[in-house]
Amino acid sequence: MAFVRTYDGAEPVRINKWLGQTGVCSRREAEGLIAEGLVSIDGEVVRDAGRKIEPGQILTLNDKGEAALAAGVAILLHKPVGYVSGQPEPGKIPAVRLLTTANRVGDGETPARDASLPPVGRLDEDSRGLLLLSSDGVVAKAVIGPQSDLDKEYLVRVAGQVTEAKLSQLRHGLELDGRQLKPARVTQMEPRRLRFLLREGRNRQIRRMCDLVGLEVVDLYRIRIGPVKLGDLPEGRWRMLTADERAALIKG
């Protein structure tokens, strides 16, 4: 079914910009769809990438354009401890092994065993929680691209004494690999349970941050990436990312 939407903005705006802002697709994708003649305004096919849509006009993306956007696959998995996010070393178990019909929650087609579904933001073997696996390049760019500003939320249990001085260090002032870390939001929920909000994803970042202040991570649980939440999805189960979640990720 074709995508149809009425532009309700106050001022004319370029079509590619509006589609990007609404989360339908990226600006570059929109330009490609326009070039292929898959977009129309009030029934007239648009081929000029610079064309603006006026307030009240109706944009239609035909069935072929909808199919092109849906070509990528994006999956949300509740990864247990003991599985690796990406290509494993010998003896390691990749998280994609969990993408079976028996583990699926809700509708969707189970990916083929040899499907290419790289992780969009890794979660190390000793950590659990929300893991995105996707062949959708727009989703990947939104989450881990150089311009991404999405935050990720983690619940972390530590061993060691948590002090205000250590919390202050975790929030700002630490370096990894000779580079200053972006400020982090770190709050203490219980005596040895912390909540981290990060806007970057260095290798094993939280574990290494805690090491620097004399704390040892004993459990790391990711519950959110930007607007996408793990919710009550059981451990080891997976579901397809919804259209609304994809749009929210792209919109940022």
PDB file of all heavy atoms in Angstrom, residues 99-118:
ATOM      1  N   LEU A  99      18.179 -15.969  16.420  1.00  0.00           N
ATOM      2  CA  LEU A  99      17.103 -15.486  15.552  1.00  0.00           C
ATOM      3  C   LEU A  99      16.384 -16.655  14.886  1.00  0.00           C
ATOM      4  O   LEU A  99      16.445 -16.858  13.674  1.00  0.00           O
ATOM      5  CB  LEU A  99      17.665 -14.515  14.505  1.00  0.00           C
ATOM      6  CG  LEU A  99      18.426 -13.305  15.048  1.00  0.00           C
ATOM      7  CD1 LEU A  99      18.839 -12.389  13.915  1.00  0.00           C
ATOM      8  CD2 LEU A  99      17.594 -12.560  16.082  1.00  0.00           C
ATOM      9  N   THR A 100      15.679 -17.416  15.693  1.00  0.00           N
ATOM     10  CA  THR A 100      14.900 -18.555  15.214  1.00  0.00           C
ATOM     11  C   THR A 100      13.412 -18.236  15.329  1.00  0.00           C
ATOM     12  O   THR A 100      13.003 -17.320  16.060  1.00  0.00           O
ATOM     13  CB  THR A 100      15.200 -19.809  16.040  1.00  0.00           C
ATOM     14  OG1 THR A 100      14.761 -19.587  17.394  1.00  0.00           O
ATOM     15  CG2 THR A 100      16.698 -20.123  16.043  1.00  0.00           C
ATOM     16  N   THR A 101      12.614 -19.012  14.608  1.00  0.00           N
ATOM     17  CA  THR A 101      11.167 -18.818  14.685  1.00  0.00           C
ATOM     18  C   THR A 101      10.657 -19.066  16.102  1.00  0.00           C
ATOM     19  O   THR A 101       9.770 -18.362  16.590  1.00  0.00           O
ATOM     20  CB  THR A 101      10.460 -19.758  13.700  1.00  0.00           C
ATOM     21  OG1 THR A 101      10.926 -19.468  12.370  1.00  0.00           O
ATOM     22  CG2 THR A 101       8.949 -19.578  13.748  1.00  0.00           C
ATOM     23  N   ALA A 102      11.227 -20.039  16.788  1.00  0.00           N
ATOM     24  CA  ALA A 102      10.800 -20.350  18.150  1.00  0.00           C
ATOM     25  C   ALA A 102      11.061 -19.195  19.112  1.00  0.00           C
ATOM     26  O   ALA A 102      10.329 -19.020  20.096  1.00  0.00           O
ATOM     27  CB  ALA A 102      11.511 -21.607  18.642  1.00  0.00           C
ATOM     28  N   ASN A 103      12.084 -18.389  18.834  1.00  0.00           N
ATOM     29  CA  ASN A 103      12.436 -17.268  19.718  1.00  0.00           C
ATOM     30  C   ASN A 103      11.769 -15.963  19.327  1.00  0.00           C
ATOM     31  O   ASN A 103      11.921 -14.966  20.021  1.00  0.00           O
ATOM     32  CB  ASN A 103      13.955 -17.061  19.733  1.00  0.00           C
ATOM     33  CG  ASN A 103      14.684 -18.137  20.494  1.00  0.00           C
ATOM     34  OD1 ASN A 103      14.092 -18.846  21.298  1.00  0.00           O
ATOM     35  ND2 ASN A 103      15.982 -18.268  20.243  1.00  0.00           N
ATOM     36  N   ARG A 104      11.059 -15.953  18.208  1.00  0.00           N
ATOM     37  CA  ARG A 104      10.452 -14.712  17.713  1.00  0.00           C
ATOM     38  C   ARG A 104       9.225 -14.336  18.527  1.00  0.00           C
ATOM     39  O   ARG A 104       8.426 -15.185  18.892  1.00  0.00           O
ATOM     40  CB  ARG A 104      10.064 -14.866  16.238  1.00  0.00           C
ATOM     41  CG  ARG A 104       9.604 -13.544  15.585  1.00  0.00           C
ATOM     42  CD  ARG A 104       9.194 -13.778  14.152  1.00  0.00           C
ATOM     43  NE  ARG A 104       7.970 -14.572  14.071  1.00  0.00           N
ATOM     44  CZ  ARG A 104       7.728 -15.472  13.123  1.00  0.00           C
ATOM     45  NH1 ARG A 104       8.607 -15.722  12.185  1.00  0.00           N
ATOM     46  NH2 ARG A 104       6.582 -16.145  13.130  1.00  0.00           N
ATOM     47  N   VAL A 105       9.097 -13.034  18.773  1.00  0.00           N
ATOM     48  CA  VAL A 105       7.905 -12.486  19.416  1.00  0.00           C
ATOM     49  C   VAL A 105       7.199 -11.601  18.408  1.00  0.00           C
ATOM     50  O   VAL A 105       7.803 -10.690  17.837  1.00  0.00           O
ATOM     51  CB  VAL A 105       8.282 -11.662  20.668  1.00  0.00           C
ATOM     52  CG1 VAL A 105       7.066 -10.944  21.225  1.00  0.00           C
ATOM     53  CG2 VAL A 105       8.898 -12.560  21.737  1.00  0.00           C
ATOM     54  N   GLY A 106       5.933 -11.869  18.137  1.00  0.00           N
ATOM     55  CA  GLY A 106       5.185 -11.064  17.190  1.00  0.00           C
ATOM     56  C   GLY A 106       5.362 -11.536  15.764  1.00  0.00           C
ATOM     57  O   GLY A 106       5.931 -12.599  15.487  1.00  0.00           O
ATOM     58  N   ASP A 107       4.879 -10.722  14.834  1.00  0.00           N
ATOM     59  CA  ASP A 107       4.918 -11.068  13.418  1.00  0.00           C
ATOM     60  C   ASP A 107       6.293 -10.789  12.827  1.00  0.00           C
ATOM     61  O   ASP A 107       7.121 -10.106  13.414  1.00  0.00           O
ATOM     62  CB  ASP A 107       3.864 -10.263  12.650  1.00  0.00           C
ATOM     63  CG  ASP A 107       2.448 -10.586  13.112  1.00  0.00           C
ATOM     64  OD1 ASP A 107       2.227 -11.748  13.516  1.00  0.00           O
ATOM     65  OD2 ASP A 107       1.589  -9.693  13.074  1.00  0.00           O
ATOM     66  N   GLY A 108       6.492 -11.308  11.631  1.00  0.00           N
ATOM     67  CA  GLY A 108       7.745 -11.084  10.922  1.00  0.00           C
ATOM     68  C   GLY A 108       8.322 -12.378  10.403  1.00  0.00           C
ATOM     69  O   GLY A 108       8.007 -13.459  10.911  1.00  0.00           O
ATOM     70  N   GLU A 109       9.149 -12.249   9.394  1.00  0.00           N
ATOM     71  CA  GLU A 109       9.776 -13.425   8.796  1.00  0.00           C
ATOM     72  C   GLU A 109      11.125 -13.681   9.452  1.00  0.00           C
ATOM     73  O   GLU A 109      11.949 -12.772   9.595  1.00  0.00           O
ATOM     74  CB  GLU A 109       9.951 -13.203   7.293  1.00  0.00           C
ATOM     75  CG  GLU A 109      10.507 -14.412   6.560  1.00  0.00           C
ATOM     76  CD  GLU A 109      10.564 -14.201   5.057  1.00  0.00           C
ATOM     77  OE1 GLU A 109       9.881 -13.277   4.568  1.00  0.00           O
ATOM     78  OE2 GLU A 109      11.283 -14.947   4.391  1.00  0.00           O
ATOM     79  N   THR A 110      11.352 -14.903   9.849  1.00  0.00           N
ATOM     80  CA  THR A 110      12.628 -15.257  10.466  1.00  0.00           C
ATOM     81  C   THR A 110      13.745 -15.178   9.424  1.00  0.00           C
ATOM     82  O   THR A 110      13.617 -15.749   8.345  1.00  0.00           O
ATOM     83  CB  THR A 110      12.570 -16.679  11.046  1.00  0.00           C
ATOM     84  OG1 THR A 110      11.509 -16.740  12.007  1.00  0.00           O
ATOM     85  CG2 THR A 110      13.878 -17.051  11.713  1.00  0.00           C
ATOM     86  N   PRO A 111      14.835 -14.466   9.711  1.00  0.00           N
ATOM     87  CA  PRO A 111      15.925 -14.345   8.738  1.00  0.00           C
ATOM     88  C   PRO A 111      16.552 -15.698   8.412  1.00  0.00           C
ATOM     89  O   PRO A 111      16.566 -16.605   9.262  1.00  0.00           O
ATOM     90  CB  PRO A 111      16.943 -13.433   9.442  1.00  0.00           C
ATOM     91  CG  PRO A 111      16.187 -12.772  10.534  1.00  0.00           C
ATOM     92  CD  PRO A 111      15.114 -13.724  10.950  1.00  0.00           C
ATOM     93  N   ALA A 112      17.059 -15.813   7.201  1.00  0.00           N
ATOM     94  CA  ALA A 112      17.793 -17.026   6.835  1.00  0.00           C
ATOM     95  C   ALA A 112      19.038 -17.148   7.710  1.00  0.00           C
ATOM     96  O   ALA A 112      19.575 -16.147   8.204  1.00  0.00           O
ATOM     97  CB  ALA A 112      18.199 -16.968   5.366  1.00  0.00           C
ATOM     98  N   ARG A 113      19.490 -18.356   7.911  1.00  0.00           N
ATOM     99  CA  ARG A 113      20.646 -18.595   8.792  1.00  0.00           C
ATOM    100  C   ARG A 113      21.889 -17.852   8.315  1.00  0.00           C
ATOM    101  O   ARG A 113      22.722 -17.434   9.127  1.00  0.00           O
ATOM    102  CB  ARG A 113      20.927 -20.101   8.865  1.00  0.00           C
ATOM    103  CG  ARG A 113      21.984 -20.475   9.903  1.00  0.00           C
ATOM    104  CD  ARG A 113      22.145 -21.975   9.997  1.00  0.00           C
ATOM    105  NE  ARG A 113      23.195 -22.356  10.924  1.00  0.00           N
ATOM    106  CZ  ARG A 113      23.032 -22.488  12.228  1.00  0.00           C
ATOM    107  NH1 ARG A 113      21.856 -22.262  12.772  1.00  0.00           N
ATOM    108  NH2 ARG A 113      24.049 -22.846  13.018  1.00  0.00           N
ATOM    109  N   ASP A 114      22.015 -17.669   6.987  1.00  0.00           N
ATOM    110  CA  ASP A 114      23.200 -16.997   6.451  1.00  0.00           C
ATOM    111  C   ASP A 114      22.941 -15.519   6.146  1.00  0.00           C
ATOM    112  O   ASP A 114      23.740 -14.872   5.469  1.00  0.00           O
ATOM    113  CB  ASP A 114      23.690 -17.717   5.187  1.00  0.00           C
ATOM    114  CG  ASP A 114      22.643 -17.728   4.075  1.00  0.00           C
ATOM    115  OD1 ASP A 114      21.468 -17.353   4.342  1.00  0.00           O
ATOM    116  OD2 ASP A 114      22.979 -18.125   2.945  1.00  0.00           O
ATOM    117  N   ALA A 115      21.839 -14.966   6.655  1.00  0.00           N
ATOM    118  CA  ALA A 115      21.529 -13.554   6.407  1.00  0.00           C
ATOM    119  C   ALA A 115      22.589 -12.660   7.042  1.00  0.00           C
ATOM    120  O   ALA A 115      23.100 -12.949   8.122  1.00  0.00           O
ATOM    121  CB  ALA A 115      20.156 -13.213   6.955  1.00  0.00           C
ATOM    122  N   SER A 116      22.902 -11.565   6.362  1.00  0.00           N
ATOM    123  CA  SER A 116      23.877 -10.609   6.884  1.00  0.00           C
ATOM    124  C   SER A 116      23.144  -9.590   7.753  1.00  0.00           C
ATOM    125  O   SER A 116      22.415  -8.737   7.254  1.00  0.00           O
ATOM    126  CB  SER A 116      24.591  -9.897   5.731  1.00  0.00           C
ATOM    127  OG  SER A 116      25.479  -8.907   6.225  1.00  0.00           O
ATOM    128  N   LEU A 117      23.317  -9.705   9.061  1.00  0.00           N
ATOM    129  CA  LEU A 117      22.663  -8.804  10.005  1.00  0.00           C
ATOM    130  C   LEU A 117      23.694  -8.331  11.032  1.00  0.00           C
ATOM    131  O   LEU A 117      23.761  -8.840  12.163  1.00  0.00           O
ATOM    132  CB  LEU A 117      21.495  -9.514  10.703  1.00  0.00           C
ATOM    133  CG  LEU A 117      20.261  -9.784   9.851  1.00  0.00           C
ATOM    134  CD1 LEU A 117      19.318 -10.743  10.553  1.00  0.00           C
ATOM    135  CD2 LEU A 117      19.543  -8.472   9.536  1.00  0.00           C
ATOM    136  N   PRO A 118      24.514  -7.368  10.651  1.00  0.00           N
ATOM    137  CA  PRO A 118      25.550  -6.895  11.577  1.00  0.00           C
ATOM    138  C   PRO A 118      24.945  -6.156  12.769  1.00  0.00           C
ATOM    139  O   PRO A 118      23.848  -5.589  12.665  1.00  0.00           O
ATOM    140  CB  PRO A 118      26.385  -5.951  10.706  1.00  0.00           C
ATOM    141  CG  PRO A 118      25.462  -5.518   9.621  1.00  0.00           C
ATOM    142  CD  PRO A 118      24.558  -6.680   9.353  1.00  0.00           C
TER     143      PRO A 118
END
